[in-house]
Amino acid sequence: MISIIIPAHNEFKNLQRLFNTTCILEQEQLLEIIVAVSPNTTDNTETLSSIAKVKLLRCKKNGRAAQMNEASNVAKGEILVFLHADVVPPNGFVNDIQQSLEHFFDAGFFSYRFDKENWLLRLNSSFTAKDGYFTGGGDQCLFIKKDVFYQIGTFNEEQALMEDFEFFGRMKKQKIPYTIVKNDLVVSARKYECNSYLRVNLVNLLLVTLFKLGYSGDKLKVLHNKLIRTPYND
């Protein structure tokens, strides 16, 4: 059975869209969706707890890594799925996860496209169907067997930014077999709308490169916040 974990900070509108426009809640294999809410959330997210299969967890610590770890500790499923609040799963999402893990993979990711039509964004999303330099980002929705997640060591809560890439690095070191499912998630283009295409891509390249060179999560987060506008997270 599957537990979907969604870290959230003031994401009520995106979560409402997710639960209203997809059929994931109707999937028999889905045991629960845990919305791991930051302690500083101030919107109406907690009203969504009335939806069947949706559980609200008010987390003790801020930060995606801490929130996802806390939710993992109470998750009942044997399969954990880490989904961002502004990402919409495709048809067949739950079935794709189950089939992947039944075919000798212990983990996986999805390809994705953006919710805005733009040839530059299409170019970006085309790379997500291939294993490469940017594989492992949170928008690709990591799914993993729960026992393997704990074997690897869960998310590093000291990694203030790029906790997903740090975890993926440990996955590769331990030679965890994974796949990329070519059934596109739909990812919000809001970061590009609040900045520019060139700015976002240059900053992403810079941050990933600095991360691979060993820069700390705190330094990366400070740099990200200086270079990228994110009014939607206020």
Side-chain angles (χ1 to χ4, degrees), residues 114 118-127 189 191-205 228-229:
F114 289 95
N118 178 305
W119 73 270
L120 290 169
L121 293 179
R122 285 199 297 275
L123 178 63
N124 269 28
S125 60
S126 68
F127 292 108
K191 185 181 289 188
Y192 293 88
E193 293 171 334
C194 294
N195 299 272
S196 71
Y197 174 85
L198 182 60
R199 174 182 284 266
V200 172
N201 278 281
L202 287 176
V203 172
N204 284 346
L205 178 60
I228 294 292
R229 294 185 291 272

Side-chain angles (χ1 to χ4, degrees), residues 1-3 5 72-73 75-82 101 104-107 142-155 167 170-171 174 176-177:
M1 299 293 280
I2 293 173
S3 294
I5 293 170
S72 300
N73 288 336
K76 296 178 180 177
E78 302 93 14
I79 300 167
L80 301 178
V81 180
F82 298 98
L101 298 183
F104 310 108
F105 294 106
D106 288 339
L142 168 68
F143 58 90
I144 188 167
K145 293 177 180 178
K146 189 175 185 179
D147 58 343
V148 176
F149 177 70
Y150 281 100
Q151 170 195 320
I152 294 169
T154 74
F155 293 105
F167 183 84
R170 283 183 280 137
M171 269 181 57
Q174 294 191 32
I176 303 299

Side-chain angles (χ1 to χ4, degrees), residues 128-182:
T128 66
K130 307 175 184 68
D131 203 354
Y133 193 69
F134 292 100
T135 299
D139 284 341
Q140 285 194 270
C141 185
L142 168 68
F143 58 90
I144 188 167
K145 293 177 180 178
K146 189 175 185 179
D147 58 343
V148 176
F149 177 70
Y150 281 100
Q151 170 195 320
I152 294 169
T154 74
F155 293 105
N156 180 1
E157 296 181 18
E158 300 301 315
Q159 190 73 37
L161 192 74
M162 308 192 78
E163 76 291 331
D164 36 25
F165 285 102
E166 194 279 334
F167 183 84
F168 181 54
R170 283 183 280 137
M171 269 181 57
K172 290 197 290 185
K173 282 182 180 177
Q174 294 191 32
K175 295 183 168 54
I176 303 299
Y178 65 91
T179 185
I180 298 175
V181 178
K182 296 171 180 63

Side-chain angles (χ1 to χ4, degrees), residues 4-229:
I4 296 178
I5 293 170
I6 306 175
H9 173 74
N10 289 340
E11 292 282 9
F12 174 74
K13 289 183 179 178
N14 282 319
L15 290 167
Q16 195 175 41
R17 177 188 65 168
L18 174 65
F19 300 144
N20 287 341
T21 61
T22 67
C23 61
I24 56 172
L25 290 168
E26 300 168 12
Q27 302 301 304
E28 289 184 11
Q29 307 99 311
L30 176 63
L31 182 62
E32 60 190 357
I33 295 178
I34 303 174
V35 181
V37 183
S38 76
N40 298 330
T41 289
T42 56
D43 67 2
N44 296 320
T45 297
E46 292 191 359
T47 64
L48 299 172
S49 61
S50 60
I51 301 172
K53 293 188 180 181
V54 175
K55 301 177 181 179
L56 269 291
L57 176 66
R58 176 69 75 162
C59 295
K60 298 180 179 69
K61 296 180 183 177
N62 276 319
R64 276 204 303 253
Q67 289 167 231
M68 292 189 290
N69 283 345
E70 192 170 340
S72 300
N73 288 336
V74 300
K76 296 178 180 177
E78 302 93 14
I79 300 167
L80 301 178
V81 180
F82 298 98
L83 180 69
H84 284 185
D86 63 344
V87 174
V88 178
N91 291 332
F93 175 68
V94 171
N95 190 53
D96 284 339
I97 291 169
Q98 279 216 311
Q99 287 196 352
S100 296
L101 298 183
E102 287 170 1
H103 286 82
F104 310 108
F105 294 106
D106 288 339
F109 304 91
F110 280 80
S111 60
Y112 65 73
R113 59 185 172 84
F114 289 95
D115 61 1
K116 302 295 179 185
E117 276 298 317
N118 178 305
W119 73 270
L120 290 169
L121 293 179
R122 285 199 297 275
L123 178 63
N124 269 28
S125 60
S126 68
F127 292 108
T128 66
K130 307 175 184 68
D131 203 354
Y133 193 69
F134 292 100
T135 299
D139 284 341
Q140 285 194 270
C141 185
L142 168 68
F143 58 90
I144 188 167
K145 293 177 180 178
K146 189 175 185 179
D147 58 343
V148 176
F149 177 70
Y150 281 100
Q151 170 195 320
I152 294 169
T154 74
F155 293 105
N156 180 1
E157 296 181 18
E158 300 301 315
Q159 190 73 37
L161 192 74
M162 308 192 78
E163 76 291 331
D164 36 25
F165 285 102
E166 194 279 334
F167 183 84
F168 181 54
R170 283 183 280 137
M171 269 181 57
K172 290 197 290 185
K173 282 182 180 177
Q174 294 191 32
K175 295 183 168 54
I176 303 299
Y178 65 91
T179 185
I180 298 175
V181 178
K182 296 171 180 63
N183 186 12
D184 290 348
L185 306 160
V186 179
V187 172
S188 171
R190 60 186 179 175
K191 185 181 289 188
Y192 293 88
E193 293 171 334
C194 294
N195 299 272
S196 71
Y197 174 85
L198 182 60
R199 174 182 284 266
V200 172
N201 278 281
L202 287 176
V203 172
N204 284 346
L205 178 60
L206 174 64
L207 292 173
V208 172
T209 300
L210 291 176
F211 165 74
K212 291 179 183 290
L213 289 173
Y215 275 62
S216 72
D218 287 336
K219 288 181 179 179
L220 293 173
K221 186 171 184 179
V222 169
L223 185 59
H224 173 274
N225 292 346
K226 282 183 178 179
L227 297 175
I228 294 292
R229 294 185 291 272

